[in-house]
Amino acid sequence: MSSILKEIEWCPGCGNFGIFKAFRNAVKRLGKDGIEKGRIVVVAGIGCHGKLPDYIDQPSFHTIHGRVLPMLTGIKLANPDLLPVGFSGDGDALNEGMEHFIHAAKRNTDVALFLHNNEVFGLTTGQFTATTPKGRRTRTTPFGNPEDPVNPCLLALISGATFVARGYAGNIKQLEELMYRAILHRGFSFLEILQPCVSFNNTWDLLRENVHEVSPAESFDDALRLVMDRFATGVLFKTEKETFEEILHKNRV
């Protein structure tokens, strides 16, 4: 658990800077709504994004690889008044943490997960991950990635997530809005954030030229169409249903 703010160590130009700023803005906005900063508990996994708890002045934890969602779930069960927010990388959440991701969505656990998707293991210098596009050359796929990539929003949607959104590290204003809405949503909120890794997968030009905002889906079938557009950003799907914590509490009464 972090208690002393440290100097930021991300590479110059890293997409994490935009994500960090959007989150701080969202927390300030929630504060204006009367939500104290101390109610928003942050958990980050292993990866460059995992340094985030070192740079924020609020309750936060840095957990082991792939275990962001179990910690978020435990925090919510222990104190339902808290608003647990997780930061995870594509490798952290969808390689090591894939099973936890699916089950948190299926249960509709009342937490928010922000996925930094730079399509590479950046901290360990450029290995391919579950979201690396097929054919892309990395340090561990020198002849091109032979696997089809996981679509994080599609996986969240078909697993049962009740809030599915996608943002872009270069659009801080939109990202702030998406984070704000995700944190307030009752149920499992998933936000994929398209993010360049300037050292091992610099996609700034690709993303600037292709990301575009879309309106929320009006049906599940429409949402399936939206999530298949990898550059579509905005709230892609939103619905309401009983949360995991509500069901457990009801069964105890």
Side-chain angles (χ1 to χ4, degrees), residues 41-47 49-50 53 61-76 84-89 92-93 96-98 100-101 104 109 111-115 188:
V41 181
V42 171
V43 177
I46 299 297
H49 76 277
F61 296 86
H62 191 183
T63 188
I64 59 175
H65 229 351
R67 301 299 182 266
V68 171
L69 281 165
M71 278 205 74
L72 295 176
T73 301
I75 291 167
K76 188 67 180 180
V85 176
F87 289 86
S88 190
D92 187 53
E96 286 81 3
M98 172 74 86
H100 298 300
F101 181 83
T109 305
V111 301
L113 180 68
F114 300 156
L115 180 77
F188 185 69

Side-chain angles (χ1 to χ4, degrees), residues 110-127:
D110 188 14
V111 301
L113 180 68
F114 300 156
L115 180 77
H116 298 229
N117 187 6
N118 58 18
E119 303 174 344
V120 73
F121 279 109
L123 186 64
T124 49
T125 68
Q127 298 84 0

Side-chain angles (χ1 to χ4, degrees), residues 2 15 36 44 48 57 68 70-71 90 94 98 101 108 133 146 159 161 210 214 222 244:
S2 62
E36 298 176 1
C48 295
D57 181 22
V68 171
M71 278 205 74
D90 44 296
L94 300 177
M98 172 74 86
F101 181 83
N108 198 32
S159 298
N210 290 283
V214 297
D222 191 27
F244 180 58

Side-chain angles (χ1 to χ4, degrees), residues 12 60 115 160 202 211 219 245:
S60 57
L115 180 77
N202 193 343
V211 293
S219 66
E245 297 74 22

Side-chain angles (χ1 to χ4, degrees), residues 181-251:
R181 295 181 63 180
I183 293 171
L184 290 179
H185 177 73
R186 187 179 62 81
F188 185 69
S189 305
F190 174 67
L191 170 59
E192 178 190 3
I193 305 170
L194 305 176
Q195 173 199 356
C197 170
V198 291
S199 296
F200 301 103
N201 187 30
N202 193 343
T203 54
W204 275 120
D205 289 342
L206 174 71
L207 295 175
R208 282 194 196 100
E209 293 171 4
N210 290 283
V211 293
H212 55 277
E213 297 187 31
V214 297
S215 301
E218 296 182 356
S219 66
F220 187 84
D221 288 343
D222 191 27
L224 285 172
R225 178 185 60 79
L226 287 180
V227 299
M228 294 307 292
D229 178 352
R230 61 179 288 213
F231 298 113
T233 64
V235 177
L236 307 180
F237 180 73
K238 185 176 181 297
T239 189
E240 299 285 341
K241 71 177 184 182
E242 199 168 28
T243 70
F244 180 58
E245 297 74 22
E246 289 170 343
I247 293 170
L248 291 183
H249 178 72
K250 183 172 64 179
N251 290 342

Side-chain angles (χ1 to χ4, degrees), residues 170-189:
N171 188 343
I172 296 171
K173 185 175 181 181
Q174 183 201 33
L175 203 51
E176 172 195 332
E177 175 68 20
L178 295 174
M179 289 178 169
Y180 174 81
R181 295 181 63 180
I183 293 171
L184 290 179
H185 177 73
R186 187 179 62 81
F188 185 69
S189 305

